[in-house]
Amino acid sequence: DVKVTQSSRYLVKRTGEKVFLECVQDMDHENMFWYRQDPGLGLRLIYFSYDVKMKEKGDIPEGYSVSREKKERFSLILESASTNQTSMYLCASSSPGSEGETQYFGPGTRLLVL
Amino acid sequence: AQSVTQLDSQVPVFEEAPVELRCNYSSSVSVYLFWYVQYPNQGLQLLLKYLSGSTLVKGINGFEAEFNKSQTSFHLRKPSVHISDTAEYFCAVSYSNYQLIWGAGTKLIIKP
């Protein structure tokens, strides 16, 4: 069965802290994604990666960076957390080709920055 | 730019009544279409998808959707809703490699 896991369900951090959110998938998918979800704004793409060590900016990359050293793991980094980064963060993965870019999601990390 | 429109931010419906959640997309080129469901404090779960073939697609939990190319729509329906269907529903479209374009979501509110 398809599985995407995220390192934390809930996280509380202070302004200025460096924050790491980790995502692991066990489906050998090439593509991985980080979204943030805010009420009324739907899902907004932060970064995605289509291969190890490859990354592309999404719609709202400012204030974030990513790392993909291994195929199964995709990390989102908040270099200096700010209160406006309080949000729900969702990781997803997909494999190009026959599934039409079907994305599989992790359970989400709800981040509160104080 | 391509876009996906979910016309209703909230849809209240009585339990055991039918429901339709609307989704329209901006381009008539070949697309793949998806509906996802998000239960409170959870990630998104694939409900159904249209890749090719029959325009009527059946998904999990009794939901179905119909692809209408001429109207660029992919509306989601269920003939009789249950309290457990309370969730937010997202429509998404794949136009090209890698990415999905997402609608803003529709909250389905079931009234007892």
Side-chain angles (χ1 to χ4, degrees), chain A residues 19-89:
Chain A
V19 181
F20 292 87
L21 303 182
E22 297 210 322
C23 175
V24 177
Q25 50 97 1
D26 67 357
M27 297 161 284
D28 200 35
H29 282 169
E30 289 83 355
N31 304 329
M32 295 187 76
F33 306 83
W34 276 107
Y35 294 92
R36 67 176 280 175
Q37 183 182 18
D38 301 288
L41 298 178
L43 274 71
R44 293 182 291 167
L45 183 63
I46 305 171
Y47 269 97
F48 69 97
S49 168
Y50 52 90
D51 201 352
V52 175
K53 296 191 187 295
M54 307 302 290
K55 61 186 180 185
E56 292 282 345
K57 292 180 180 179
D59 301 317
I60 52 163
E62 297 78 18
Y64 303 93
S65 62
V66 290
S67 172
R68 190 158 181 212
E69 297 295 320
K70 293 184 177 181
K71 190 175 185 179
E72 68 271 17
R73 189 181 297 269
F74 192 34
S75 301
L76 180 70
I77 303 152
L78 287 65
E79 295 289 343
S80 178
S82 64
T83 54
N84 63 13
Q85 292 178 310
T86 291
S87 188
M88 172 73 132
Y89 290 88

Side-chain angles (χ1 to χ4, degrees), chain B residues 57-77:
Chain B
V57 181
K58 294 191 184 297
I60 61 171
N61 301 339
F63 284 92
E64 63 181 31
E66 186 155 19
F67 168 53
N68 188 319
K69 187 175 182 179
S70 62
Q71 298 191 3
T72 61
S73 69
F74 191 53
H75 300 333
L76 181 70
R77 301 186 184 101

Side-chain angles (χ1 to χ4, degrees), chain B residues 1-100:
Chain B
Q2 290 115 350
S3 63
V4 176
T5 303
Q6 292 184 242
L7 294 163
D8 306 298
S9 59
Q10 291 188 76
V11 172
V13 62
F14 285 104
E15 198 169 11
E16 298 183 8
V19 69
E20 179 179 83
L21 306 183
R22 297 178 292 170
C23 174
N24 288 87
Y25 58 97
S26 60
S27 173
S28 60
V29 300
S30 294
V31 295
Y32 302 126
L33 299 153
F34 305 84
W35 276 99
Y36 284 81
V37 59
Q38 185 180 34
Y39 298 104
N41 293 314
Q42 293 187 27
L44 275 70
Q45 179 183 357
L46 181 67
L47 201 54
L48 51 80
K49 60 186 174 185
Y50 171 79
L51 302 181
S52 64
S54 172
T55 57
L56 184 63
V57 181
K58 294 191 184 297
I60 61 171
N61 301 339
F63 284 92
E64 63 181 31
E66 186 155 19
F67 168 53
N68 188 319
K69 187 175 182 179
S70 62
Q71 298 191 3
T72 61
S73 69
F74 191 53
H75 300 333
L76 181 70
R77 301 186 184 101
K78 186 170 183 178
S80 175
V81 297
H82 188 265
I83 195 77
S84 59
D85 294 322
T86 298
E88 190 160 18
Y89 292 80
F90 291 91
C91 180
V93 179
S94 171
Y95 290 98
S96 62
N97 289 341
Y98 312 131
Q99 294 190 55
L100 298 182

